[in-house]
Amino acid sequence: MCSGLIRISMLNNMAHTLLIPIDFKVESLKSLKLVLNDNTHQKLNVVLVYAEKSSGSITDMLFYSPSKRVSELCSDIFIEALSMIKNRYDSVIGELRIEIFSGTTVGALKNFIDAHRVDEIVSPSNYELEMPSRAFDVRPLFKGVSTPIKNVSWQNQKSLSVHEQLIALFN
Amino acid sequence: MKIQLKITLFLVATNSLILLLFGGSVYYFLYNYSYSDFFKRLETRATISAKYNFEKDRINTESYKAIRTEHLERLTNEKEYLFPVNQTDPNYAGLSNSLNVSGGFIKEIVKNKKAKLQKDGTFYVGILYTQKENAYIVVVSAENYYATHHLRFLRNILIIGFFLIGFITTYIFIYFSKKIFNPIKKITDRVKEISTENIHLRLEEGTNDSEISLLITTFNDLLNRLETAFEVQKNFISNASHEFGTPLTSIIGEAEVVLRKPRSADEYQQSLQSILTQAERINQITQSLLYLAQTGYNKKNIPLEIIRADELIVQVKALTDNLNPKNNVQLDFSLLPENHEKLKVWGNKQLLYLALSNIVSNACKYSNNQLVNISIASSNNEVILLFTDSGIGIPETELQFIYDPFFRASNTHQFEGYGIGLPLARNIVRMHNGELVVSSEVNKGTTVKIKLPLAKLN
């Protein structure tokens, strides 16, 4: 019983890292908001992951920079929404990163999870990630890894205009 | 004359003047130096020649001969003339004729013991050499090869250089002045395009804080004010006469009906009551018009204070509860920032209060008191307020007109209103350097997004 208590307090003290798949739409941040809402940990690190196969072209690969690609994909409204969530949970969120996962196999995902020290995966269960061209939905790969998965769901909002996207984060 | 041309001409003129001064002084000083130097050389030669010819001491004569042959190179057309001073010919006419110089030159030699003369590129130096009782005049003449050739070459170089540099700098100045005045020309062209029909056009603002960018910002501010004025004016006459006309017609009608025959006190009271209601309506319209006018023009004179946005919307909700108890306004604080610094904005409380309550009352009105959500959140530089209702919405084609005063969308006939609330709210938000965006879908609802810049507290 004693050891159990110690384990819980240790868990609470250590930063807990979450992996959340996104599609750079504001609504995909809803899973982040939901998981932060009923969070019990003191500190959370968040890795937002966008799955995109790397291009086959030599020149593209030569000048490939993940951070540049991320800033290309980030729309103004997405950054705004992210900063809104960050301001709301300022004391809980330790580190918030956006990463691009360019592997296609479970093994690659395992490596990715190890590299970012992910403790838990948050998977939106009824939200359809909008993945154009080389991007793909990473969720099927989650079944192959041993990391605990937390499913979140919310009522989907259909076709929102750019200005209305922010509404998705509320209610 | 255009300033561009003026600047170019001025720069070219100054540049040419400096070049001329430089080239001219180089040439002048070198010219002077080469002449005085050449006369000195000739003088030395004359002295040596006199010593060599008239010295009695043979040893000295030999050494002068050695010096002359060893150290003195022959000058171009170097000639020596030696003759004794002849007292019988006081004007030295024959002498000067044979030398092809004026008589004054010989006289000067006799008088000053030496003289210099330059004639047709030939230089003459004469000295008076006296030995015992005899006096001799020694004249050496030569052509200054250096002056005639080297200086001419230098002069040519300087002239060519002057024109070359002149051309290059003129070209650069023209290019430069064009570059400087290009943005101004652009502004002129753009401003020319803007007329009363397309007063919504704005000049493209630069990112740097140069004088030109400042000018553009000033222009745009001016255009903003002009546009507001135009907008108000454009719709004012037709809409205002309609808005004022309706209550006035009913006042007149009511009064006429009542005055037709004697009435009981009760009836008088009733109709006066109705007249009062209509008069109050006119008063209300006038009041809000006044507000609209004020917010449209006096941007600089509003007193600002630090306001917390969350407090503001709580107060707006309280006011709405007072005015319209059936409302269904809900506040969504689920993304309220933890740090209350992120909620503070510079603003005028009364005006923001007016703007927000206008939007909320619109939301309630056009959704028949269905659920209205007010959400608040803040990004890193702005407070974001979202007002969502599920009311009648605004037709897409009419969205662009909703900021015109007195404009009412085609689906609002069953609702009372006179179309000043939203333009007023937008004016107020703009006064606070904020942004108001309306997006809507018919029969689905309307969303108003207001962004207000956070107060920078240090």
Side-chain angles (χ1 to χ4, degrees):
Chain A
M1 193 182 133
C2 224
S3 65
L5 266 176
I6 290 165
R7 246 190 67 208
I8 290 167
S9 65
M10 262 175 66
L11 261 177
N12 280 344
N13 279 335
M14 272 164 57
H16 190 75
T17 305
L18 297 176
L19 181 85
I20 303 174
I22 51 159
D23 58 359
F24 287 104
K25 291 275 174 305
V26 174
E27 197 175 351
S28 65
L29 288 174
K30 181 98 175 178
S31 41
L32 174 61
K33 187 194 169 189
L34 288 176
V35 79
L36 281 166
N37 233 349
D38 35 59
N39 160 56
T40 52
H41 300 273
Q42 266 182 4
K43 260 298 186 232
L44 276 180
N45 289 338
V46 180
V47 179
L48 300 175
V49 65
Y50 183 73
E52 188 179 54
K53 283 173 206 157
S54 57
S55 153
S57 149
I58 283 271
T59 43
D60 281 0
M61 276 157 79
L62 215 59
F63 298 108
Y64 180 72
S65 145
S67 57
K68 215 189 267 172
R69 181 79 186 123
V70 167
S71 49
E72 260 172 37
L73 288 163
C74 275
S75 60
D76 288 348
I77 196 116
F78 185 80
I79 294 170
E80 199 171 275
L82 202 56
S83 63
M84 276 160 55
I85 295 178
K86 217 173 166 182
N87 282 330
R88 167 64 186 90
Y89 300 99
D90 208 14
S91 57
V92 180
I93 298 176
E95 202 183 347
L96 203 152
R97 290 198 304 269
I98 306 177
E99 298 287 345
I100 291 193
F101 172 65
S102 49
T104 48
T105 59
V106 176
L109 184 65
K110 272 181 184 164
N111 279 338
F112 184 86
I113 285 169
D114 283 350
H116 291 98
R117 303 208 178 109
V118 174
D119 300 306
E120 193 178 4
I121 293 170
V122 178
S123 174
S125 49
N126 62 349
Y127 175 67
E128 205 161 302
L129 289 168
E130 206 175 297
M131 294 306 208
S133 64
R134 297 203 312 274
F136 63 96
D137 192 344
V138 72
R139 280 174 296 183
L141 295 181
F142 288 160
K143 286 178 195 129
V145 297
S146 52
T147 319
I149 297 174
K150 183 179 189 173
N151 282 313
V152 289
S153 65
W154 63 88
Q155 218 179 346
N156 265 6
Q157 308 220 339
K158 283 276 168 259
S159 63
L160 294 162
S161 79
V162 178
H163 292 297
E164 286 173 313
Q165 276 186 31
L166 280 183
I167 301 167
L169 277 186
F170 297 97
N171 54 62
Chain B
M1 200 193 285
K2 278 184 182 174
I3 297 180
Q4 185 186 334
L5 188 64
K6 259 187 199 169
I7 284 184
T8 316
L9 281 181
F10 176 74
L11 286 176
V12 167
T14 346
N15 180 53
S16 313
L17 195 73
I18 291 169
L19 269 179
L20 266 180
L21 269 176
F22 176 71
S25 55
V26 164
Y27 186 76
Y28 173 77
F29 286 115
L30 206 65
Y31 179 87
N32 261 4
Y33 175 74
S34 84
Y35 277 48
S36 59
D37 182 58
F38 196 68
F39 277 126
K40 267 186 197 144
R41 287 168 73 184
L42 287 181
E43 200 184 323
T44 319
R45 273 154 214 265
T47 318
I48 289 170
S49 165
K51 298 249 186 207
Y52 165 65
N53 284 307
F54 305 116
E55 195 75 53
K56 290 287 183 258
D57 187 346
R58 290 315 298 168
I59 303 165
N60 264 348
T61 315
E62 284 303 314
S63 59
Y64 280 122
K65 190 182 180 183
I67 287 172
R68 207 159 91 153
T69 47
E70 275 172 39
H71 299 291
L72 296 181
E73 70 171 305
R74 297 287 298 172
L75 297 172
T76 319
N77 276 335
E78 188 179 333
K79 282 180 192 138
E80 278 177 29
Y81 308 90
L82 308 151
F83 31 85
V85 177
N86 189 353
Q87 301 295 342
T88 55
D89 183 6
N91 283 331
Y92 308 101
L95 202 58
S96 50
N97 271 344
S98 67
L99 265 171
N100 199 16
V101 293
S102 65
F105 176 59
I106 310 290
K107 264 190 200 165
E108 203 187 331
I109 297 174
V110 176
K111 201 177 157 200
N112 297 340
K113 296 194 169 172
K114 82 175 157 189
K116 297 173 192 174
L117 180 73
Q118 187 203 343
K119 201 180 165 199
D120 306 330
T122 312
F123 291 73
Y124 296 87
V125 170
I127 57 167
L128 187 74
Y129 185 80
T130 43
Q131 200 179 36
K132 307 239 172 91
E133 288 79 43
N134 303 319
Y136 302 95
I137 288 171
V138 181
V139 175
V140 177
S141 77
E143 272 172 25
N144 190 349
Y145 179 82
Y146 178 78
T148 48
H149 292 83
H150 290 184
L151 278 181
R152 194 182 301 152
F153 186 60
L154 178 75
R155 190 191 63 199
N156 291 347
I157 287 180
L158 285 175
I159 289 171
I160 291 171
F162 170 76
F163 281 110
L164 213 66
I165 294 174
F167 274 128
I168 292 170
T169 45
T170 308
Y171 181 77
I172 290 172
F173 290 149
I174 289 173
Y175 173 78
F176 195 67
S177 63
K178 251 191 198 154
K179 205 174 151 56
I180 284 181
F181 284 97
N182 241 358
I184 293 183
K185 196 177 167 311
K186 257 191 216 159
I187 292 173
T188 318
D189 291 348
R190 184 75 173 159
V191 171
K192 262 185 204 158
E193 278 175 34
I194 300 173
S195 66
T196 47
E197 275 78 40
N198 51 8
I199 196 146
H200 62 277
L201 290 179
R202 289 291 176 276
L203 302 168
E204 218 170 284
E205 286 193 34
T207 44
N208 53 356
D209 54 350
S210 67
E211 288 84 346
I212 300 285
S213 302
L214 220 66
L215 179 70
I216 292 176
T217 317
T218 317
F219 256 125
N220 280 349
D221 278 352
L222 176 75
L223 285 170
N224 277 340
R225 270 173 285 153
L226 270 180
E227 191 187 357
T228 322
F230 264 111
E231 271 173 9
V232 175
Q233 210 173 12
K234 237 192 304 189
N235 294 317
F236 187 81
I237 299 184
S238 62
N239 290 320
S241 50
H242 176 74
E243 286 302 328
F244 283 108
T246 320
L248 276 176
T249 319
S250 56
I251 288 174
I252 293 165
E254 185 83 36
E256 269 177 351
V257 170
V258 173
L259 287 175
R260 201 162 284 162
K261 59 178 187 181
R263 310 268 175 183
S264 68
D266 247 15
E267 281 172 317
Y268 279 127
Q269 206 165 24
Q270 238 178 31
S271 50
L272 277 177
Q273 193 63 48
S274 146
I275 288 172
L276 185 65
T277 317
Q278 297 300 332
E280 265 170 1
R281 185 177 149 85
I282 295 178
N283 190 34
Q284 224 174 3
I285 298 173
T286 325
Q287 285 287 329
S288 41
L289 264 180
L290 208 63
Y291 259 125
L292 185 69
Q294 277 169 355
T295 54
Y297 303 126
N298 303 334
K299 194 176 177 181
K300 298 278 182 279
N301 301 336
I302 49 164
L304 296 175
E305 56 185 321
I306 298 268
I307 301 169
R308 276 188 62 157
D310 52 341
E311 282 174 10
L312 197 68
I313 57 171
V314 170
Q315 281 169 4
V316 169
K317 155 93 172 140
L319 177 80
T320 318
D321 285 344
N322 262 341
L323 292 177
N324 175 12
K326 280 188 255 167
N327 80 77
N328 193 359
V329 174
Q330 281 196 2
L331 302 181
D332 182 349
F333 284 143
S334 67
L335 281 181
L336 191 75
E338 283 179 347
N339 185 352
H340 59 82
E341 299 287 303
K342 296 261 183 198
L343 286 166
K344 289 180 176 171
V345 294
W346 278 108
N348 181 298
K349 207 166 194 169
Q350 272 69 43
L351 288 178
L352 281 178
Y353 199 51
L354 183 71
L356 299 188
S357 54
N358 254 317
I359 290 168
V360 173
S361 69
N362 272 352
C364 292
K365 183 163 68 183
Y366 294 112
S367 67
N368 288 319
N369 288 328
Q370 289 183 59
L371 178 68
V372 172
N373 249 312
I374 307 179
S375 317
I376 180 167
S378 69
S379 68
N380 291 332
N381 322 310
E382 283 160 325
V383 172
I384 295 156
L385 299 169
L386 285 170
F387 303 83
T388 37
D389 67 55
S390 21
I392 57 168
I394 303 162
E396 206 184 326
T397 48
E398 292 172 19
L399 262 179
Q400 50 177 318
F401 302 118
I402 54 173
Y403 305 113
D404 291 347
F406 290 118
F407 175 82
R408 303 207 64 210
S410 52
N411 54 353
T412 56
H413 296 307
Q414 46 174 323
F415 300 94
E416 221 177 283
Y418 33 90
I420 292 184
L422 190 60
L424 179 63
R426 193 166 87 133
N427 272 357
I428 292 170
V429 171
R430 275 187 170 182
M431 280 165 86
H432 291 83
N433 296 320
E435 195 187 339
L436 186 151
V437 184
V438 177
S439 45
S440 184
E441 204 176 327
V442 175
N443 295 329
K444 281 274 180 68
T446 305
T447 302
V448 180
K449 181 165 115 178
I450 293 179
K451 284 194 205 174
L452 291 169
L454 284 174
K456 289 190 181 73
L457 301 167
N458 292 315

